[in-house]
Amino acid sequence: MSTNNKKVVTLAYGCQMSERDADTLTEISAQEGYTRTDDLENADLVIINTCCVRESAENKILGKIGELKKLKERNPHLKIAVSGCMVQQPGALERLQHRAPHVDIWAGTHNLPEFGRLIRLAEDNQKVAEVWKEPGPAFEATPLAEKGKLKANVNISYGCNNFCTYCIVPHVRGRERSRKPEDIIREIQELVASGCKEITLLGQNVNSYGHDLNISYDFANLLKQVDEIPGLLRVRFLTSHPKDLSDQLIETVAAGQHLCEHFHLPIQAGSNEILRHMNRKYTREYYLDRIAKIREIIPDASLTTDLIVGFPGETEVDFEQTLDIISRVHYSQAFTFIYSKRSGTPAAVMTDQIPLDVKKRRLQYLMNHQNAQSLEWRKAMVGKIYEVLVEGPSKSNPDRLTGRTRGNELVVFPGDPKLKGTLVKVRMREARSWTLLGEILSEH
Ligand code: SF4
């Protein structure tokens, strides 16, 4: 391991999986002697971990890569690495290399374990590009998380088997591979020993965790085991595919001590016709049944979702069905997106693509509808008492603390910064657009 004082800036785009991969790349660069910084001007290595899930994300990333060219002109020693989903797309590497010849390292999603070697080659002034078509042996050999943080993401599986017709993920992250339970538990124990209090278990579909392990062990088993790790205060998980959400899993969350009562359950669209064309493998009736089950077993559970507007063929009636789902479910939050064509996916070549102006109008309408629902959800919390994990001083007001409820709502309240990392009881006093204001009643 090199020990000189080299600095790395890591920029992550896209989902939590991408952020998690960026953390892994940062850890690998630390093994090569790089210390993390946010100061681009003083960086020796810049890593951009990319996302290709939407065209808008790709354009933003291409703009960033272009900006780094000027930085490299001022600092010729700077090495630039671009990794992740954009690089992994079939046929993308050549196009990217042509567009950005100033980049030193190109690495696909399956090449993370090789990243240290790629850094050393780049330090030797070689331009390198490695994009394996298939994943190699699991990543257990690589450092698996950035230690010492209050909250950390832990991968439980990689890839996806579902092939929703709009989604590029199975094409760039491969088929689903579950990590062994003992490796996941060991990683979490190490994180807790380094001060971590909250873990988010990550998978494209956590509900199908373990199906490929050939042992009698599923996601509910894993949650139970993680719940028992001493010192861990909270456990979250992302993402649940509705088709695989079992009663047993809901009951496990209800019975858990540290398992947060929050389900991120993407519906994507409210019309059965659109769901069928999306290949989501459930109907709106089935989805609403799952919601009813959650509310029956955990009445106060927070529900969040992802929604796409303007999928090919979506009529005004289909769109109204999506609005209707929002009214019925009462999500605390929804992540809303305009459908974006991804080449290589079935939806990209479907006829009756929706004009952009229609998609934008629907998105605005959807967001207004959901924002009103989110505010209603938070208003209903006012006057009640919730358990909050203190995350430290608020960025916008350092005199206040911030933290999150078990339902993942952001709360701002006065308090001693020494409370960071502890659980406190907070009474909610006021609901704002995106946060709640509260006051501490007691420390746990
Ligand atoms: S479940 Fe569907 S949307 Fe989610 S990653 Fe897999 S293919 Fe993509």
Side-chain angles (χ1 to χ4, degrees), residues 53 159-170 204-205 239 241 243 266 268 278-280 308:
V53 110
C160 181
N161 290 348
N162 287 310
F163 288 95
C164 302
T165 55
Y166 53 83
C167 184
I168 193 76
V169 167
Q204 302 295 347
N205 177 14
T239 290
H241 196 303
K243 77 178 168 60
Q268 308 297 6
M278 285 178 163
N279 192 30
R280 289 292 290 175
I308 296 172

Side-chain angles (χ1 to χ4, degrees), residues 192-209:
V192 171
S194 78
C196 180
K197 304 287 184 193
E198 178 178 307
I199 289 289
T200 301
L201 303 173
L202 292 183
Q204 302 295 347
N205 177 14
V206 290
N207 296 343
S208 59
Y209 169 80

